[in-house]
């Protein structure tokens, strides 16, 4: 049966159909907004990026709510408090948006998303082909074509695009930074990590890995890249001033209702435990402390036993741990599409394992995408918090497959790339 399925999917017509279908999907659900309702979406979160870009272009402090009021003329009305909390290295992106009219800025962000999707797909395929495995021949039989289709045409990518978020840009920068780290092209890797730090909470574990690996040239290039990207905000407020302004903005952002424990859009174990226990105990939810220190312990242990893992798999494991124990919103899950090529390499010649991987992917897709299209009862939204355990399961399974693959390569004396 697996042979028959593969023979169908290896046909060029099928590959082109799936790739075109993925593009249709992201345009329909990410740009046009098919089936979507409510006040959110259609680049809703882009508003504050646009206002910040206008402020920095005018030589003003983008973190000041008073400046934001001045820069909000001509924009759609909103009741949401100004909570722009990105670090200053996002300045070039938001200034590009702020240089256009509102409508053209929306189009510019859509274009930037598509460029990032293309880069993310390219680097995902690059990572897939970068590491030698005993399934290399299977991967070379045209099946890797489906990796860019799954990267581009999945609900997470569409969600980040629809919300006007920067998660796709960050995801591309993280995967690209890792890709060039493995190739030891430290300058381009460091600059991509600098871009990735516009959402520092999503790459903190990977940066810890680089520290443990003593990749000082990459980290130095990253610091230099951050300085260059943040040069205009630094010019406006000075280094001490910009740090104080940013930290103050983060404090304001953390106080927003959508950052409270129990909000269904948060993606980490602490929130899932609170939301589920709060519902079943009628308001007495279990509020655990943040579990990021536990993730740090796991990364250190992963580094200690690094010889037992494929290097690229560590990227996926670290990102899954970030979402499980650290921080993240549902639209940030676009970054986890890196799991597609990583699992693909391991399960491509096993029907049972392929179906298991498909179950994980569909389960996460359902838990993220469908609640945005329909009005589900509150109990359903609470139970969907179990998606965190799917991510934890993915990290555990990928760890097992990676160790198994490494053991095979060592036993057969196959040199890893």
């Amino acid at each position: 049966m697996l042979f028959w399925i593969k023979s169908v999917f290896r046909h060029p017509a099928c590959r082109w159909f799936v790739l075109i279908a993925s593009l249709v999907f992201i345009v329909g659900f990410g740009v046009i907004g098919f089936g979507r309702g409510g006040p959110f979406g259609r680049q809703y979160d882009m508003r504050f990026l646009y206002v910040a870009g206008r402020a920095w272009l005018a030589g003003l402090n983008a973190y000041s709510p008073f400046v934001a009021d001045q820069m909000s003329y001509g924009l759609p009305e909103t009741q949401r408090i100004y909570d722009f909390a990105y670090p200053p290295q996002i300045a070039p992106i938001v200034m590009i948006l702020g240089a256009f009219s509102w409508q053209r800025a929306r189009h510019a962000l859509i274009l930037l998303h598509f460029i990032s999707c293309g880069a993310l797909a390219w680097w995902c395929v690059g990572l897939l082909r970068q590491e030698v495995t005993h399934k290399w021949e299977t991967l070379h039989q045209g099946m890797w074509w489906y990796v860019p289709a799954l990267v581009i045409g999945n609900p997470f990518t569409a969600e980040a695009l629809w919300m006007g978020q920067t998660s796709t840009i960050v995801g591309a920068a993280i995967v690209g930074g890792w890709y060039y780290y493995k190739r030891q092209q430290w300058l381009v890797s460091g600059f991509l990590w600098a871009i990735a730090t516009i959402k520092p909470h999503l790459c903190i574990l990977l940066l810890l890995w680089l520290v443990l690996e003593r990749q000082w040239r990459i980290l130095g290039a990253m610091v230099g890249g951050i300085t260059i990207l943040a040069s205009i905000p630094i010019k406006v407020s000075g280094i001490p001033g910009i740090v104080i302004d940013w930290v103050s903005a983060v404090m304001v952002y953390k106080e927003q209702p959508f950052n409270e424990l129990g909000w269904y859009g948060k993606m980490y174990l602490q929130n899932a435990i609170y939301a589920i226990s709060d519902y079943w105990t009628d308001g007495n939810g279990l509020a655990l402390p943040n579990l990021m220190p536990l993730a740090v312990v796991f990364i250190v242990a992963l580094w200690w036993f690094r010889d037992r893992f494929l290097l690229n798999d560590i990227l996926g494991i670290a990102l899954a741990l970030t979402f499980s124990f650290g921080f993240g919103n549902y639209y940030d899950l676009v970054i986890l599409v890196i799991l597609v090529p990583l699992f693909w390499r391991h399960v491509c010649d096993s029907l049972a394992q392929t179906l298991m991987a498909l179950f994980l992917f569909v389960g996460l897709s359902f838990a993220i995408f469908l609640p945005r299209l329909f009005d589900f009862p509150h109990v359903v939204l609470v139970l969907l918090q179990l998606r965190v355990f799917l991510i934890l399961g993915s990290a555990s399974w990928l760890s097992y497959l990676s160790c198994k693959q490494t053991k095979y390569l060592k036993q057969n004396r196959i040199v890893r790339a």
Side-chain angles (χ1 to χ4, degrees), residues 43 64 87 107 123 131 150 153 169 192 256 275 282 293 318 347 366 393 398:
Q43 291 79 50
S64 169
H107 297 157
W123 285 319
E131 209 148 38
L150 290 172
I169 301 169
L192 287 169
Q256 300 309 305
D282 196 21
V347 308
F366 175 87
L398 183 59

Side-chain angles (χ1 to χ4, degrees), residues 170-283:
V170 172
I174 288 176
V175 176
W178 188 272
Y179 175 81
Y180 290 110
Y181 147 61
K182 190 174 179 190
R183 293 165 62 97
Q184 282 301 298
Q185 294 179 249
W186 60 271
L187 189 59
V188 62
S189 176
F191 188 75
L192 287 169
W193 285 116
I195 297 174
T197 60
I198 66 177
K199 287 201 170 188
H201 55 287
L202 297 181
C203 58
I204 186 170
L205 293 182
L206 293 168
L207 295 181
L208 172 61
W209 178 270
L210 294 179
V211 171
L212 293 172
E213 285 287 281
R214 300 179 181 179
Q215 295 292 326
W216 308 125
R217 292 194 300 178
I218 292 178
L219 293 169
M222 181 191 73
V223 172
I226 291 174
T227 304
I228 293 171
L229 294 172
S231 57
I232 290 182
I234 290 174
K235 181 180 179 181
V236 171
S237 303
I239 293 180
I242 200 63
V243 172
I244 293 172
D245 290 340
W246 175 51
V247 171
S248 299
V250 170
M251 295 299 104
V252 172
Y253 178 77
K254 288 176 63 176
E255 295 299 320
Q256 300 309 305
F258 48 78
N259 284 319
E260 295 178 356
L261 278 178
W263 188 65
Y264 78 94
K266 288 297 178 183
M267 289 299 307
Y268 47 93
L269 188 60
Q270 179 195 22
N271 187 73
I273 292 173
Y274 178 84
I276 295 171
S277 61
D278 186 70
Y279 181 82
W280 294 111
T281 60
D282 196 21

Side-chain angles (χ1 to χ4, degrees), residues 384-405:
L384 288 179
Q385 293 295 320
L386 295 174
R387 61 199 174 194
V388 176
F389 295 96
L390 293 181
I391 297 176
L392 270 174
S394 300
S396 301
W397 188 24
L398 183 59
S399 300
Y400 165 74
L401 292 174
S402 190
C403 289
K404 181 180 178 182
Q405 183 71 37

Side-chain angles (χ1 to χ4, degrees), residues 13-35:
C14 185
R15 296 201 298 259
W16 278 108
F17 173 80
V18 173
L19 188 58
I20 292 172
S22 71
L23 293 172
V24 171
F25 180 89
I26 192 174
V27 170
F29 288 96
V31 180
I32 300 174
F34 177 75

Side-chain angles (χ1 to χ4, degrees), residues 60-71:
L60 301 174
N61 178 12
Y63 295 111
S64 169
F66 305 106
V67 170
D69 290 339
Q70 301 174 32
M71 297 293 114

Side-chain angles (χ1 to χ4, degrees), residues 316-389:
I317 296 168
L319 287 173
L321 290 175
T322 298
F323 281 96
S324 301
F325 298 114
F327 313 92
N329 292 294
Y330 65 98
Y331 44 73
D332 292 324
L333 279 179
V334 64
I335 301 174
L336 283 189
V337 297
I338 184 58
L339 294 178
V340 170
L342 298 181
F343 272 110
W344 191 282
R345 184 187 57 224
H346 288 294
V347 308
C348 61
D349 62 353
S350 169
L351 179 60
Q353 290 185 333
T354 300
L355 291 176
M356 288 175 60
L358 183 63
F359 169 78
L360 285 173
F361 185 82
V362 172
L364 282 173
S365 298
F366 175 87
I368 298 300
F369 195 58
L370 288 186
R372 301 288 294 169
L373 302 180
F374 303 102
D375 292 325
F376 283 103
H378 182 58
V379 62
V380 175
L381 296 179
V382 170
L383 290 176
L384 288 179
Q385 293 295 320
L386 295 174
R387 61 199 174 194
V388 176
F389 295 96

